[in-house]
Amino acid sequence: MSEISARYNPLEVEEKWYSYWMSMQYFKSTPDGREPYSVVIPPPNVTGVLHMGHMLNNTIQDVLIRKARQEGKNACWVPGTDHASIATEAKVVRMLRERGIKKADLSRDEFLKYAWEWKEEYGGIILQQLQKLGASCDWDRTAFTMDEIRSDAVYKVFVDLHRRGKLYRKKRMVNWDPEARTVLSNEEVIYGMENSRLFHVKYQIEGTEEYITIATTRPETIPGDTAVAVHPDDPRYHAFHGKRAIVPLIGRAVPIIVDEYVTMDFGTGALKVTPAHDVNDFDLGVKHQLETVDVFNDDGTMSSAAGIYPGDDRFVVRKKFAADLDAAGYIVKIEDYKNNVGRSERTNAVVEPRLSLQWYVDMKALAGPALDAVESDEIEFFPKNQKNLYRHWMENIRDWCISRQLWWGHRVPAWYYGEFTFVAENIAEALEEAKKISGNLALTEADLSQDEDVLDTWFSSWLWPISVFDGFNSKEELNYYYPTSVLVTGWDIIFLWVARMAMAGFEWTGEKPFHDVYFTGMVRDKQRRKMSKQLGNSPDALKLIEDYGADGVRFGMLSCSPAGGDLLFDEKLVEQGRNFCNKLWNAMRLILGWTPDPSIEPTPLDQLAYNWMDEKLSVIALKVNEDFQQYRLSDALMSIYSFIWDDFCSWYLEMVKPGQGEPISEQCYTKTISIFTDICSLLHPFMPFITEEIWHQLKTNSQKGDCMLSPYPKGGKGDEIMLAAIEHAKTLITAIREVRAKNGLKSKEALPLYAKSSQIVSAFEKIGGYSPLVTKMAGLFSFEITDLEDIQGVNFIVDAEKYFVELQIEIDAAKELEEKQKELVHQLNFVDGILKKLTNERFVAGAPSDVIEKERKKLADGQERIRLLEQEVIKLKGLVN
RNA sequence: GGGAGGUUAGCUCAGCUGGUUCAGAGCACCUGCCUUACAAGCAGGGGGUCACUGGUUCGAAUCCAGUACUUCCCA
């Protein structure tokens, strides 16, 4: 025994077993006759390094996959990364800048060469880090959204949607990131309240000396004004209907239009309309056929069309132009104001609404089946309440802008020739098409120009559950693995990803992409702040694994993360995980230190103990399986945790532990090992490394096989009478220990215990090994049943049974009396409540018979306790007086 | 502005279809222990009018309404 360290050392164990599993190809999956269980990883950014969110998310997936594997299913977990257009391009640009290279000086191809180099060098880091966590992915299947198979799928889908009229190109208002100089989807814009100022500016009414005053937070857009709008019912402005206003300092005369869109009590009730720079204004512009004047360049500086300060930044111009207006007497007043400002998720630049020509997917045409599937629980959400969010978004769905003004990504498969557009999977097809349409057979590829933009990264991610199985080329694997079993992801990308995958699934396979969706919470710090790089509040994931072991970290992540609920990360959690590993480790050391002796028969106590363990294990396993059904992983883990720590270590091992230097019966030894290995099987999905290690340490000389592939315990109801008896014994033993603690008695001092005779007590006493068990665990000198009503010493009630510990000590009668009286009151209330129930006809008539039976039992027990307590109180009163 | 959720021990949360041996878990806390598997431990213990108000009911942490506070989503 001495050669085994008293502390569990995870590092070498983890390294050893991970490479062993890999060498055995245990993670590998190919279609066969077994039931499949498939999971696709939410592909992390190729730029990413492992953070807490990944650890939580991937631990959960690994738990599910490992359990499925132990259940004999063909478990397939497909790993991969996505190319993260904006983030990666930004990273590569920065890297180039550090090397003194400007993106603007490079051709597209040159830039992409650098980008791929970067990807090859750094792109796989996160996947290697997942291995440290124990992730049992089928690494041979590692996919990347820009590899050949996944890219082909993207182009196919684009062409297909276009052909069927569900994808189009149009000039619309978009969210423009002037720093990245690209469009953003709605989901990539983060809104927040910011301090700004509301400028009240007066516009002269054409041909009069009258003015109309508008309020705006953005005076720099005034050069783009092409109307002033008022509410039709606003009496202040009736006189101006049909007239024109002069845009101050610009001199443009613009119509005063009337529209119910205007909010009368906001600002002055008059609204300047700038169709090129505001979504709502754009709609007004379309409705009233207004001119659009785009006053900005794509980097947020003023354009030549603005006529003022060309080339200056919009925020600089805001100040300058406001000052000009003021100097010219057009500013009526300036108020401090808070408004909602959208910023780019990636660059934090203030998003500029901008008119631009982009590609869109007609989402209404795709949403139907995906919405229905979730509504009907055909796709089941865990937790359920995410359905509301999903429904709301799907019912108000807007078209998806999929083009991005970047180079890193899938280039839009559209080619232009003159005024023609050809959408095709490749240039050769586009050329064929071009020849046909134009009638010019002499066209060459050089005559066509491909769209400069790339597609939104999610336009490849939404195909992921299909494309990782090469499903757009071949049905072979798709038929087996698809729909996947479960998707595990954060609720924050329910729209970006989950909804879109559901749509793509129905669109191209006619089926849902997954049966279940498990939404994890966000990992936050103790102050509930989201973990982020900026705040620096995220622990180093790999450091955590080094310090606490992968199993410890997995335990920490899981033990406190109910589905959908946020995980408030605290290093205490992983510490608990590490301590748990140590506990398991030491239980193993204890057992391995025993000397089994074939010539000794197991005692009745031994037999009772291991039979009880079997029953209890069975009950726990059943509960764990039920918890898995509902994805209550943290409940499942905590059940196993307390089963191991309390039942197995604190109770069972102490029950069967032989005395110092004494041997243990071989039967009991073998049985203990078998229980422990079952425990390893049960715990393995959560803590794979230590369970594998212990499994092998315990099995060195006997059975073969690995914990990872051992059958997962199914569990059952268990022997209720035996379970109840042991629970009673445990409570009794605890009560005796309490007597010790209260009276300052040493644990070595053996005590005589008497039980007041009763049916229950005799029944328990008849169970083989019961009395020896209590005697051993409570450190008794003797344990007898008596008919005496009182014995000198301390007495107490367990369930409805009365026990006496014979003691020659003074007891504090007054204090004891107070306690017993308090308890009596509680019991009286308890019984009173049940009596009320049982005397109520409607209850007796209506409640199910087993409920009534239970109430009767509770009543009888309660009454018995009252009887015993009353006796006691009378006796104590006598002593006090 | 529209919508969804939350409010249970000091902290983080369980508590499913209403029924007091269920007010529970983990952590934290207090007391006593270096009892040779484990001090990363052992034994014992104290903590809660289940946000507030009203209603339904024989009975409410659990259902309903309102109030307060709070989180989130969408605009």
Side-chain angles (χ1 to χ4, degrees):
Chain A
M1 179 169 78
S2 55
E3 69 266 24
I4 304 175
S5 156
R7 293 211 172 155
Y8 171 62
N9 177 4
L11 286 181
E12 54 194 70
V13 167
E14 289 171 5
E15 180 66 39
K16 175 177 72 181
W17 290 114
Y18 201 85
S19 39
Y20 172 77
W21 294 326
M22 288 286 275
S23 73
M24 298 298 281
Q25 303 213 308
Y26 281 165
F27 305 159
K28 208 168 161 37
S29 169
T30 46
D32 60 24
R34 290 175 295 164
E35 180 188 340
Y37 188 93
S38 54
V39 173
V40 295
I41 206 167
N45 278 356
V46 73
T47 63
V49 292
L50 193 67
H51 61 61
M52 303 305 287
H54 294 126
M55 294 223 287
L56 173 63
N57 181 262
N58 288 292
T59 298
I60 290 169
Q61 291 172 75
D62 195 47
V63 169
L64 296 172
I65 278 284
R66 283 180 184 271
K67 175 164 186 277
R69 206 179 276 120
Q70 285 181 265
E71 286 172 327
K73 294 176 187 161
N74 185 344
C76 180
W77 184 10
V78 186
T81 48
D82 81 35
H83 61 278
S85 249
I86 296 181
T88 308
E89 182 146 335
K91 271 220 157 111
V92 174
V93 167
R94 195 176 319 140
M95 174 203 76
L96 289 173
R97 198 186 300 141
E98 278 160 18
R99 288 203 226 158
I101 305 169
K102 279 199 273 184
K103 182 188 165 191
D105 296 339
L106 296 175
S107 71
R108 185 176 189 124
D109 286 343
E110 285 166 338
F111 178 81
L112 287 179
K113 207 170 140 251
Y114 284 117
W116 275 105
E117 276 172 20
W118 186 91
K119 186 260 169 192
E120 291 309 323
E121 192 166 349
Y122 303 106
I125 288 179
I126 192 161
L127 298 182
Q128 289 159 28
Q129 293 176 326
L130 284 178
Q131 303 193 349
K132 292 247 185 291
L133 192 62
S136 59
C137 303
D138 182 353
W139 298 107
D140 295 341
R141 292 177 176 272
T142 303
F144 177 52
T145 47
M146 272 172 73
D147 64 23
E148 205 181 327
I149 291 174
R150 267 49 69 175
S151 298
D152 283 352
V154 165
Y155 298 132
K156 266 197 175 132
V157 157
F158 188 97
V159 172
D160 182 53
L161 283 176
H162 183 260
R163 187 173 46 78
R164 293 188 290 130
K166 294 179 176 180
L167 186 150
Y168 60 90
R169 191 181 191 216
K170 200 177 170 187
K171 193 166 206 180
R172 289 187 25 188
M173 196 56 75
V174 297
N175 301 303
W176 185 264
D177 179 340
E179 204 165 307
R181 299 194 200 182
T182 179
V183 67
L184 301 172
S185 71
N186 289 327
E187 287 73 19
E188 290 164 319
V189 181
I190 313 289
Y191 291 90
M193 297 307 284
E194 297 192 10
N195 292 323
S196 63
R197 293 192 297 166
L198 192 61
F199 298 82
H200 292 245
V201 185
K202 60 182 189 178
Y203 289 34
Q204 189 171 13
I205 306 296
E206 193 181 35
T208 73
E209 286 306 311
E210 286 179 289
Y211 290 87
I212 184 166
T213 301
I214 58 88
T216 180
T217 56
R218 306 198 55 198
E220 71 278 13
T221 65
I222 285 177
D225 287 355
T226 56
V228 171
V230 296
H231 195 281
D233 299 337
D234 195 332
R236 291 173 292 182
Y237 302 120
H238 276 156
F240 299 150
H241 291 186
K243 299 208 163 146
R244 282 147 63 94
I246 311 290
V247 179
L249 296 184
I250 304 300
R252 181 188 304 127
V254 299
I256 294 174
I257 60 171
V258 175
D259 199 291
E260 288 177 349
Y261 164 74
V262 180
T263 312
M264 283 193 276
D265 47 16
F266 178 80
T268 61
L271 176 75
K272 77 187 207 53
V273 182
T274 321
H277 299 292
D278 182 278
V279 180
N280 297 313
D281 290 12
F282 177 73
D283 293 341
L284 279 174
V286 172
K287 190 168 164 190
H288 296 274
Q289 296 166 335
L290 302 174
E291 211 187 324
T292 57
V293 178
D294 188 346
V295 301
F296 297 128
N297 296 314
D298 64 5
D299 60 355
T301 58
M302 302 306 283
S303 71
S304 54
I308 52 160
Y309 305 114
D312 280 6
D313 184 77
R314 51 192 170 146
F315 295 112
V316 175
V317 174
R318 179 176 298 178
K319 286 192 187 130
K320 284 190 189 172
F321 192 58
D324 293 347
L325 287 168
D326 201 19
Y330 287 108
I331 302 274
V332 178
K333 65 170 171 177
I334 302 173
E335 293 175 304
D336 284 334
Y337 185 66
K338 269 191 197 300
N339 66 340
N340 214 359
V341 176
R343 288 180 177 271
S344 164
E345 189 182 19
R346 295 287 167 202
T347 65
N348 203 37
V350 173
V351 166
E352 190 62 49
R354 185 162 197 252
L355 261 184
S356 131
L357 195 56
Q358 305 285 345
W359 289 94
Y360 291 89
V361 176
D362 178 358
M363 297 300 262
K364 283 199 180 63
L366 302 183
L371 174 58
D372 294 344
V374 170
E375 280 296 285
S376 67
D377 285 337
E378 184 193 343
I379 295 175
E380 205 168 345
F381 278 10
F382 295 88
K384 283 264 179 299
N385 58 15
Q386 297 293 337
K387 278 170 78 172
N388 291 329
L389 199 62
Y390 181 87
R391 183 191 316 115
H392 184 261
W393 191 75
M394 290 295 263
E395 284 174 349
N396 298 284
I397 199 159
R398 290 186 291 176
D399 287 356
W400 176 16
C401 177
I402 52 168
S403 37
R404 297 288 182 276
Q405 287 62 49
L406 299 166
W407 282 349
W408 176 247
H410 303 100
R411 191 164 175 181
V412 173
W415 284 264
Y416 306 110
Y417 172 67
E419 64 211 70
F420 299 112
T421 300
F422 306 102
V423 169
E425 284 178 40
N426 53 55
I427 190 168
E429 282 177 26
L431 183 62
E432 281 312 303
E433 191 73 3
K435 284 180 183 167
K436 221 174 4 180
I437 301 285
S438 67
N440 181 355
L441 297 179
L443 283 180
T444 67
E445 290 183 1
D447 294 317
L448 301 181
S449 62
Q450 187 173 359
D451 196 298
E452 290 296 323
D453 294 346
V454 299
L455 294 167
D456 182 7
T457 306
W458 298 105
F459 194 81
S460 43
S461 312
W462 75 324
L463 309 174
W464 193 247
I466 307 171
S467 66
V468 295
F469 299 117
D470 198 12
F472 288 93
N473 266 324
S474 135
K475 298 288 165 225
E476 198 183 325
E477 291 221 318
L478 200 68
N479 285 340
Y480 184 70
Y481 291 116
Y482 187 98
T484 60
S485 305
V486 58
L487 176 82
V488 180
T489 190
W491 51 258
D492 54 333
I493 54 174
I494 187 169
F495 311 134
L496 287 169
W497 199 45
V498 179
R500 288 172 184 162
M501 273 191 286
M503 290 187 244
F506 285 105
E507 190 70 14
W508 287 288
T509 72
E511 265 188 287
K512 60 184 173 182
F514 24 68
H515 294 285
D516 295 342
V517 182
Y518 175 101
F519 290 102
T520 66
M522 301 290 105
V523 182
R524 297 172 187 276
D525 68 7
K526 273 195 279 187
Q527 287 128 54
R528 280 192 187 277
R529 296 175 307 180
K530 214 164 159 173
M531 296 235 167
S532 75
K533 272 184 217 147
Q534 282 103 328
L535 282 172
N537 60 347
S538 181
D540 180 338
L542 291 178
K543 183 83 175 11
L544 274 182
I545 292 178
E546 267 172 44
D547 291 349
Y548 294 96
D551 289 325
V553 173
R554 290 166 67 112
F555 180 97
M557 302 303 298
L558 282 170
S559 66
C560 199
S561 66
D566 288 345
L567 167 68
L568 271 55
F569 183 79
D570 183 343
E571 208 150 318
K572 274 255 150 42
L573 293 171
V574 291
E575 196 180 309
Q576 199 189 342
R578 180 198 60 181
N579 293 354
F580 184 38
C581 287
N582 208 44
K583 187 72 185 175
L584 283 159
W585 185 251
N586 277 291
M588 179 195 79
R589 285 178 65 219
L590 173 68
I591 294 166
L592 292 180
W594 289 342
T595 315
D597 185 338
S599 69
I600 306 177
E601 287 295 307
T603 63
L605 164 53
D606 290 342
Q607 293 177 41
L608 177 62
Y610 57 65
N611 288 334
W612 168 64
M613 264 296 97
D614 279 342
E615 298 302 323
K616 190 81 197 244
L617 178 67
S618 183
V619 170
I620 296 296
L622 185 68
K623 180 180 182 298
V624 166
N625 278 287
E626 285 166 359
D627 285 339
F628 264 97
Q629 293 283 313
Q630 295 300 313
Y631 294 93
R632 290 145 72 130
L633 303 191
S634 106
D635 284 359
L637 178 56
M638 288 319 284
S639 297
I640 300 173
Y641 174 82
S642 61
F643 172 67
I644 293 173
W645 201 300
D646 302 333
D647 290 324
F648 183 67
C649 293
S650 297
W651 289 103
Y652 173 76
L653 290 178
E654 295 299 332
M655 288 176 193
V656 299
K657 192 185 201 171
Q660 185 60 30
E662 289 171 27
I664 186 169
S665 84
E666 178 153 3
Q667 167 79 13
C668 187
Y669 182 77
T670 311
K671 197 62 203 167
T672 301
I673 284 184
S674 141
I675 291 163
F676 205 175
T677 53
D678 283 351
I679 284 174
C680 287
S681 297
L682 192 65
L683 181 62
H684 179 82
F686 301 95
M687 305 176 79
F689 294 109
I690 190 169
T691 48
E692 190 71 86
E693 174 68 15
I694 291 177
W695 172 281
H696 284 272
Q697 294 250 10
L698 293 176
K699 293 219 163 189
T700 38
N701 302 316
S702 50
Q703 291 141 282
K704 290 190 184 142
D706 296 310
C707 184
M708 184 180 155
L709 296 187
S710 65
Y712 203 75
K714 285 199 171 58
K717 274 202 71 172
D719 178 339
E720 283 175 27
I721 293 174
M722 187 210 277
L723 289 167
I726 302 291
E727 285 314 308
H728 182 82
K730 281 161 68 177
T731 317
L732 169 60
I733 292 157
T734 301
I736 297 165
R737 287 171 178 169
E738 195 183 342
V739 168
R740 273 215 166 79
K742 263 193 190 158
N743 296 291
L745 300 170
K746 291 253 159 59
S747 58
K748 280 184 180 145
E749 191 171 338
L751 302 173
L753 178 74
Y754 296 88
K756 176 80 178 63
S757 69
S758 82
Q759 264 187 321
I760 300 266
V761 164
S762 323
F764 286 168
E765 206 263 341
K766 284 200 185 75
I767 296 175
Y770 183 84
S771 295
L773 187 151
V774 175
T775 303
K776 178 172 183 180
M777 297 300 286
L780 298 182
F781 169 75
S782 61
F783 179 19
E784 289 169 36
I785 296 178
T786 177
D787 285 320
L788 294 173
E789 285 298 337
D790 193 21
I791 284 176
Q792 163 72 35
V794 182
N795 64 59
F796 50 87
I797 297 164
V798 174
D799 296 339
E801 312 310 319
K802 189 168 188 180
Y803 294 90
F804 314 90
V805 173
E806 191 174 16
L807 278 178
Q808 304 302 324
I809 53 164
E810 285 294 312
I811 57 164
D812 185 342
K815 196 176 151 207
E816 196 72 1
L817 177 62
E818 194 187 327
E819 271 177 32
K820 299 282 172 180
Q821 277 177 323
K822 217 170 123 191
E823 178 61 20
L824 183 58
V825 169
H826 181 254
Q827 291 301 330
L828 285 168
N829 287 334
F830 173 65
V831 163
D832 200 44
I834 299 168
L835 265 178
K836 258 197 210 154
K837 232 186 283 183
L838 284 171
T839 51
N840 181 293
E841 281 173 32
R842 286 174 59 185
F843 172 73
V844 180
S849 59
D850 58 323
V851 171
I852 296 175
E853 209 37 55
K854 215 174 128 190
E855 293 301 314
R856 294 226 165 95
K857 170 87 171 82
K858 287 199 288 199
L859 180 67
D861 285 356
Q863 285 171 332
E864 176 62 10
R865 274 195 302 270
I866 288 170
R867 193 182 68 81
L868 295 171
L869 281 165
E870 278 170 343
Q871 276 179 9
E872 192 60 20
V873 165
I874 290 165
K875 188 188 90 182
L876 286 166
K877 273 185 178 159
L879 288 178
V880 170
N881 295 333

